[in-house]
Amino acid sequence: MKPIDARADTAQEPTVLRSAVAGAVAGAVGIAASELVAGIVPGAPSLVVAVGSFIIAKQPPGAKDLVASTFGTNDKLALNIAVVVVALLVATAAGLLGRRSFGNASRLFAAFGLVAFVAAALQPLNSPVLAAVNAVVATAASLAALRILLADAGFLEPVRLGWIGLGEDGPVAPWPETPTDPLPYQSRRRFLIRASGFLVGALAMGTLGRLLISRGHPSGIPVSASLPAPAASVSPLAAEESLTAPGITPIVIPNDRFYQIDTELLVPQVDASTWQLRVTGMVDHPLTFTYAELLALPLFEQYVTLACVSNTVGGGLVGNTLWTGAHLKQVLAQAGVKSGATQIVGRSVDGFTVGFPTAWALDPARDPMIAVGMNRLPLPTEHGYPARLIVPGLYGYVSATKWLSEIELTTREAFDAYWVALGWAKDGPILTESRIDHPSNSAHLAAGPVDIDGLAWAPDRGVGKVEVRIDNGPWQTALLSRAISKATWVQWMLRWEATPGTHTIEVRATDGTGNVQTATRGGPLPAGATGYDQVSVSVT
Ligand SMILES: Nc1nc2c(c(=O)[nH]1)N[C@H]1C(S)=C(S)[C@@H](COP(=O)(O)O)O[C@H]1N2
Ligand SMILES: [Mo]
């Protein structure tokens, strides 16, 4: 490289701005390096994700409202971005500190690395060793970049080979008395070139790291391609079990369109060849199943509608699909449930927990399952591969443990599951709900016949009736698809002669026991959202 002649270049006094930029760029280099390590090294946690997950896990009780939406894919992205922004602000502060004392800047970076390490190491799926390695990589990369940039900015002596200036105290390059006599190594051009070079490098490393992380580790865990034939399978759906209307939400949601809710920023990649499911607690015979042993149990299929308690009225956090799995009751019988074991706790490899009454699971009217398949394919990773619980009639947060690792029999009093401890109801029966899918809110329609359609569910009491009313008029009974079972949703439809003007359409469902959906608006905290879904349309 051609030596830079500081006198020919615009030599300048080191500026506050440059130290701030140096800090932020150094922070970006550290974050990007750690993301790259997380992408390349199997098992190394992403520190960004670790800090985000830590925030989700440590939220104050009752705050799921805020975090419920955080579970949506976009909000998870937002949380990741927020973590990066905060980290860059801290790094900027380190840059500013570095003007007076590189030692203090180092300590701030090291403290931040320590926080990221603790956040990562506290999560059950992360290896503390790899978390430590990654935090050290991030800290060292940031410090090296900061040391070089602060020198380029004129705050420190130029970096000599093999020395990144760790622990050095105070600016070692006193500013000369006269601005006409700059130190030879101070150069605005060199600072700009190097800072932008580092930034581009950080973007490249970060992008590559993220890509590798989201595609799973290169040494990727194989997901089994098919399931054994179930001992009992369902027959194809009858024609009456679906309504035909253009664009109507299908009775069975395809796997890639099924809603996803969990506390994970990156879903656990479980290796089914080493995975085990344990049945523990108040049982006569604790059991352990490998994936092969679980698949060797008599498998059965059933359609069950799963819903999220944090779904708002009219929202999409609900889905119906064909699950394949083992009978939970059979596994419990094999284990021998002790009397007094009133709660079944489902634990996930990631530490997430659910809890539901043993009596609910053992009720002869329902067949809860240890599910291994969705729409006749192995569970997708996002939906709990290799196994999860599906308990008809209960919200997911009390029942549907994904990446299941343990079923523990205990008492209701002895344990509060993940969301219950955060202020959500201990019992989570799915409320009777109905939703208008068409027309959409604020739609413009032509006068004449309009088909209104949507879904209604009340697992596992069944849907008895769906009614629609226009502009507070009389409730009109809608046409229903024939319910597959009491545990599934139904489609409904009503033909309406739309007249010019603005109209409000409302829907309500009655469950199989004759109880009408709650009209009062409320929730979703603590037990689910109530109130009727409604849309406004203008007709011309
Ligand atoms: N391990 C684990 N399982 C979990 C959760 C979670 O955060 N972690 N969320 C639960 C919640 S709140 C719901 S609504 C369902 C959603 O299942 P799905 O993502 O397959 O739709 O999973 C449940 N199982
Ligand atoms: Mo949920």
Side-chain angles (χ1 to χ4, degrees):
M1 199 176 126
K2 171 171 147 316
I4 293 165
D5 178 3
R7 270 159 241 271
D9 190 14
T10 339
Q12 292 215 343
E13 186 167 359
T15 64
V16 173
L17 178 65
R18 273 190 233 173
S19 68
V21 170
V25 169
V29 167
I31 294 167
S34 74
E35 288 295 284
L36 189 58
V37 171
I40 291 173
V41 181
S46 155
L47 298 180
V48 173
V49 168
V51 173
S53 305
F54 190 75
I55 294 170
I56 292 183
K58 293 290 168 253
Q59 61 179 300
K64 194 190 175 188
D65 262 356
L66 189 132
V67 180
S69 46
T70 304
F71 296 155
T73 331
N74 288 337
D75 292 351
K76 282 182 178 171
L77 180 65
L79 185 56
N80 274 300
I81 292 173
V83 169
V84 170
V85 167
V86 170
L88 291 181
L89 288 177
V90 172
T92 306
L96 294 173
L97 276 180
R99 284 179 301 154
R100 295 274 157 265
S101 153
F102 188 68
N104 283 345
S106 315
R107 282 183 271 278
L108 184 54
F109 269 133
F112 201 69
L114 192 65
V115 167
F117 161 71
V118 169
L122 281 182
Q123 279 153 56
L125 280 186
N126 291 338
S127 134
V129 174
L130 290 175
V133 167
N134 209 359
V136 168
V137 166
T139 310
S142 299
L143 280 178
L146 184 65
R147 177 66 183 81
I148 294 168
L149 289 175
L150 283 180
D152 287 343
F155 290 104
L156 298 172
E157 260 178 38
V159 183
R160 281 179 244 292
L161 209 65
W163 169 242
I164 61 158
L166 247 171
E168 200 172 310
D169 256 306
V172 292
W175 186 249
E177 293 306 308
T178 50
T180 48
D181 185 23
L183 292 173
Y185 49 80
Q186 289 146 2
S187 151
R188 177 203 279 176
R189 198 179 60 185
R190 173 151 57 182
F191 177 78
L192 284 180
I193 290 173
R194 196 107 76 176
S196 31
F198 280 174
L199 198 59
V200 170
L203 284 175
M205 282 195 295
T207 309
L208 181 62
R210 276 273 126 174
L211 270 175
L212 291 174
I213 291 170
S214 63
R215 287 180 49 228
H217 295 303
S219 72
I221 302 296
V223 172
S224 64
S226 63
L227 290 172
S233 45
V234 296
S235 36
L237 290 185
E240 319 84 77
E241 284 169 325
S242 291
L243 296 180
T244 35
I248 196 165
T249 307
I251 278 293
V252 179
I253 300 290
N255 289 357
D256 58 357
R257 282 175 50 200
F258 202 92
Y259 83 96
Q260 184 196 344
I261 289 288
D262 45 66
T263 58
E264 291 301 312
L265 291 176
L266 285 174
V267 295
Q269 313 256 342
V270 177
D271 183 349
S273 67
T274 56
W275 172 86
Q276 288 193 328
L277 171 62
R278 301 190 304 134
V279 184
T280 63
M282 297 171 68
V283 291
D284 298 328
H285 320 284
L287 303 173
T288 302
F289 293 89
T290 64
Y291 188 50
E293 286 165 347
L294 185 62
L295 294 184
L297 294 176
L299 302 181
F300 75 112
E301 299 178 326
Q302 72 176 327
Y303 289 94
V304 175
T305 295
L306 179 63
C308 184
V309 69
S310 48
N311 195 27
T312 49
V313 170
L317 300 180
V318 54
N320 183 60
T321 189
L322 180 62
W323 306 96
T324 303
H327 299 274
L328 177 63
K329 283 179 192 169
Q330 184 190 341
V331 170
L332 292 180
Q334 201 182 326
V337 175
K338 291 206 162 106
S339 70
T342 47
Q343 180 171 219
I344 300 177
V345 171
R347 294 180 192 277
S348 166
V349 299
D350 64 354
F352 178 83
T353 53
V354 302
F356 51 94
T358 309
W360 185 281
L362 295 184
D363 187 318
R366 57 179 69 95
D367 209 345
M369 66 204 309
I370 304 171
V372 290
M374 227 173 143
N375 282 323
R376 296 192 164 136
L377 291 170
L379 287 177
T381 307
E382 312 82 72
H383 296 293
Y385 181 83
R388 73 178 301 174
L389 288 172
I390 291 294
V391 184
L394 296 183
Y395 281 122
Y397 81 105
V398 290
S399 68
T401 316
K402 303 193 274 189
W403 315 291
L404 183 67
S405 61
E406 184 182 348
I407 297 169
E408 187 198 350
L409 276 292
T410 179
T411 63
R412 292 286 278 168
E413 298 72 32
F415 181 73
D416 281 341
Y418 189 94
W419 287 119
V420 176
L422 292 171
W424 290 74
K426 177 97 181 176
D427 290 303
I430 301 179
L431 300 181
T432 303
E433 302 276 359
S434 52
R435 183 176 93 191
I436 302 169
D437 288 343
H438 300 102
S440 50
N441 195 32
S442 347
H444 294 270
L445 306 171
V450 167
D451 282 336
I452 308 171
D453 71 55
L455 295 161
W457 59 93
D460 52 352
R461 304 172 296 284
V463 174
K465 185 162 69 168
V466 173
E467 297 163 292
V468 175
R469 71 173 173 192
I470 317 286
D471 302 330
N472 281 306
W475 287 105
Q476 306 173 53
T477 304
L479 173 72
L480 303 186
S481 64
R482 195 178 80 199
I484 303 172
S485 79
K486 285 185 173 178
T488 64
W489 64 16
V490 294
Q491 295 163 323
W492 58 264
M493 211 162 116
L494 186 88
R495 167 92 24 119
W496 169 48
E497 283 299 325
T499 53
T502 307
H503 301 285
T504 304
I505 309 171
E506 280 173 289
V507 67
R508 70 174 187 191
T510 302
D511 74 11
T513 71
N515 285 324
V516 183
Q517 184 181 336
T518 307
T520 324
R521 284 169 180 272
L525 187 78
T530 57
Y532 298 159
D533 192 18
Q534 81 175 50
V535 298
S536 289
V537 294
S538 56
V539 180
T540 42

